[in-house]
Amino acid sequence: MPTISTIQHALATGQATASSLVDASFEAIQRDTHVDPSTYVSVDRESSHAAAMTSDALRLRDYVPSSLAGVPVSIKDLFDVKGEVTAAGSRVLQGAEPATRDSVAVSRLRDAGAVFVGRTNMSEFAYSGLGLNPHHGTPRNPHDARRVAGGSSSGAAVSVARSHVAWALGTDTGGSLRIPAAFCGLTAFKPTARRVPLDGVLPLASAFDSVGAIANSVDCCAAADAILSAETPDTTARPLDTLRLCVTYADVVDDAEDAVRAAFERALDALRTAGATIESIDFPELRDVLEHAPQPGITASQAWAWHRHLVAREGHRYDPRVLARLRRGERFLAADYIDLMAARERFIRGARRRLAPFDAWLMPTVAIVAPFLEALEHDDEHFFAVNAKTLRNPGIVNLLDGCALTLPCHREGELPVGMSIVGPAFADAAVLAIGRGVEARFRQMRSNA
């Protein structure tokens, strides 16, 4: 699979041009449309080719603004791109006016020379971890087309997994980058939320919304994050034998599916063999916050505040499952909301103390492997139960106001499983640095298998 660094090498040595790369992207998209037509809500060949030609012309003049220059990227249908409609995977907003300017994230990528190939499909309004979309179809898992790709950044993950692009721009409110990355065998980074501005991103829940990347390597995620955050942190790989890491089994690992637990335990053993210290800890603050579940209530309350007027006019056009989740926010009183936010703050304070002695917290990114689509499509009760199980582990990080990197930790031939490296707010550079060392060990583990 292509990475940003391998593409930059090809561009620098004349083995490829931005124009040839975008041609290859559209050839791959056209080819895979017969396999899965649901990855994109729109593609723009004309604008993509114009951007690629500009990048090539600038490179001939020795102007390469960043490591993303000339590199194809897909954009989740949640970001404003000047002249395009931001519909968030819905039918409700398809007739809205086009954006009059780029979102901050898109503007930074444009300035960095990235080439946008299309808008990727997603769970409607980003309100599901499974990626189902009744309007545009549901992107299928590249490892098993009977299974979902995960959400809400479903098309984003598929665009990378099928090598249409080197990386994808997405969002993460409760796992929307990390879930599809884990289900599709990819790497994704959810940064500390406020490091990347949300201007021009259609909101789900402002308390948790984050902007980040799905890609094929930690290096790709770090390169994208540097542009998106306008920061250049030192993410040099941390030696594994210098790390003190922690694991919580209750409420995070113990009830995971067998395949997930097996892959996670093998990954832990590989890190221990490489010299990392890994300690199992009790985490009563986590148990308490999961029992009181403030995150679903906060998300529903904030989402309802944005959607309530639109629902009054266009409720019949929403995905019924999304509408049902939105309407939960209608029931919360202001006092309830204040209580939920206070519970979150207590959890953040307690978690900081609990995790302070460690370099990072490890957990299975998702407690299950990618579920079968057919069962989810025809059984609402099953859908909501599986969605909740899917969101639980990654959502803890958003509730923590933390940052996290997910890496594939399964064996070749197995369904993908992700391991997350989790840190508190603004531990982004440390998490990426640890991730580089962990990634190298996992690759070694696979080569020796």
Side-chain angles (χ1 to χ4, degrees):
M1 291 185 180
T3 64
I4 291 170
S5 60
T6 58
I7 288 174
Q8 279 302 328
H9 177 73
L11 289 168
T13 57
Q15 299 173 58
T17 63
S19 296
S20 69
L21 291 173
V22 82
D23 284 340
S25 288
F26 283 112
E27 287 173 9
I29 291 169
Q30 181 64 35
R31 179 191 67 232
D32 289 337
T33 296
H34 300 293
V35 178
D36 184 355
S38 306
T39 304
Y40 300 88
V41 297
S42 66
V43 294
D44 190 343
R45 291 175 179 266
E46 185 175 347
S47 295
S48 301
H49 281 106
M53 291 174 63
T54 299
S55 180
D56 288 333
L58 292 173
R59 189 176 290 271
L60 288 174
R61 293 168 174 79
D62 293 324
Y63 180 66
V64 182
S66 81
S67 63
L68 304 185
V71 177
V73 58
S74 65
I75 297 177
K76 186 177 182 178
D77 191 30
L78 209 62
F79 291 84
D80 285 351
V81 177
K82 185 177 180 180
E84 297 181 7
V85 173
T86 306
S90 74
R91 294 292 187 193
V92 180
L93 296 179
Q94 281 191 323
E97 291 295 319
T100 57
R101 61 180 180 178
D102 291 336
S103 61
V104 171
V106 167
S107 177
R108 288 178 176 178
L109 293 179
R110 198 185 296 278
D111 290 345
V115 177
F116 311 141
V117 301
R119 304 181 71 91
T120 51
N121 194 7
M122 54 183 283
S123 307
E124 186 185 53
F125 293 113
Y127 213 173
S128 161
L130 296 172
L132 275 66
N133 188 305
H135 311 302
H136 300 287
T138 297
R140 303 301 184 102
N141 194 299
H143 295 267
D144 182 346
R146 298 169 300 170
R147 299 175 184 266
V148 299
S152 63
S153 306
S154 50
V158 174
S159 73
V160 178
R162 292 198 178 279
S163 298
H164 301 168
V165 291
W167 72 282
L169 178 67
T171 61
D172 190 309
T173 304
S176 288
L177 288 163
R178 291 160 289 149
I179 293 166
F183 281 175
C184 294
L186 301 169
T187 303
F189 181 59
K190 175 239 172 297
T192 303
R194 51 200 174 277
R195 285 184 59 246
V196 181
L198 291 166
D199 307 64
V201 182
L202 198 149
L204 176 57
S206 59
F208 307 120
D209 293 345
S210 311
V211 173
I214 300 176
N216 289 310
S217 72
V218 178
D219 186 65
C220 292
C221 289
D225 178 72
I227 300 301
L228 292 169
S229 66
E231 299 175 2
T232 53
D234 182 5
T235 62
T236 304
R238 290 277 301 275
L240 296 181
D241 60 4
T242 68
L243 298 178
R244 185 184 181 198
L245 308 169
C246 67
V247 178
T248 307
Y249 280 88
D251 307 305
V252 176
V253 182
D254 284 344
D255 64 346
E257 288 183 349
D258 290 346
V260 173
R261 290 189 62 181
F264 183 69
E265 291 295 344
R266 286 196 306 266
L268 293 182
D269 287 343
L271 298 180
R272 290 190 186 100
T273 301
T277 298
I278 302 177
E279 300 179 24
S280 176
I281 64 168
D282 189 36
F283 203 153
E285 298 88 354
L286 175 62
R287 190 171 306 118
D288 180 69
V289 81
L290 289 175
E291 182 178 333
H292 292 91
Q295 186 177 20
I298 294 170
T299 300
S301 297
Q302 294 188 347
W304 179 250
W306 193 92
H307 281 272
R308 64 191 190 279
H309 301 302
L310 194 58
V311 167
R313 299 192 309 270
E314 304 282 354
H316 62 286
R317 301 180 68 192
Y318 277 73
D319 175 350
R321 289 165 170 173
V322 170
L323 183 61
R325 298 188 76 197
L326 285 169
R327 286 200 177 280
R328 293 174 189 171
E330 192 175 17
R331 301 195 299 266
F332 286 96
L333 302 175
D336 298 325
Y337 178 76
I338 291 169
D339 286 344
L340 293 172
M341 293 296 285
R344 183 196 187 195
E345 289 304 315
R346 287 195 300 274
F347 173 60
I348 291 172
R349 290 195 299 271
R352 279 186 170 275
R353 290 192 297 270
R354 187 71 54 184
L355 300 175
F358 302 97
D359 294 298
W361 178 20
L362 305 180
M363 66 171 68
T365 302
V366 188
I368 62 174
V369 296
F372 289 104
L373 172 60
E374 185 176 6
L376 298 170
E377 284 182 317
H378 298 106
D379 186 336
D380 282 1
E381 184 176 351
H382 179 65
F383 171 89
F384 285 117
V386 174
N387 189 54
K389 187 67 173 284
T390 299
L391 290 165
R392 187 200 59 198
N393 284 15
I396 291 167
V397 182
N398 301 75
L399 191 64
L400 176 64
D401 190 29
C403 53
L405 177 76
T406 181
L407 295 163
C409 65
H410 57 286
R411 290 173 174 164
E412 293 293 336
E414 295 178 339
L415 283 173
V417 173
M419 170 187 275
S420 278
I421 302 165
V422 179
F426 300 112
D428 304 70
V431 165
L432 287 166
I434 292 167
R436 289 184 188 274
V438 171
E439 178 183 60
R441 178 60 179 145
F442 286 176
R443 286 178 174 170
Q444 182 184 42
M445 180 175 67
R446 284 197 190 90
S447 66
N448 294 335

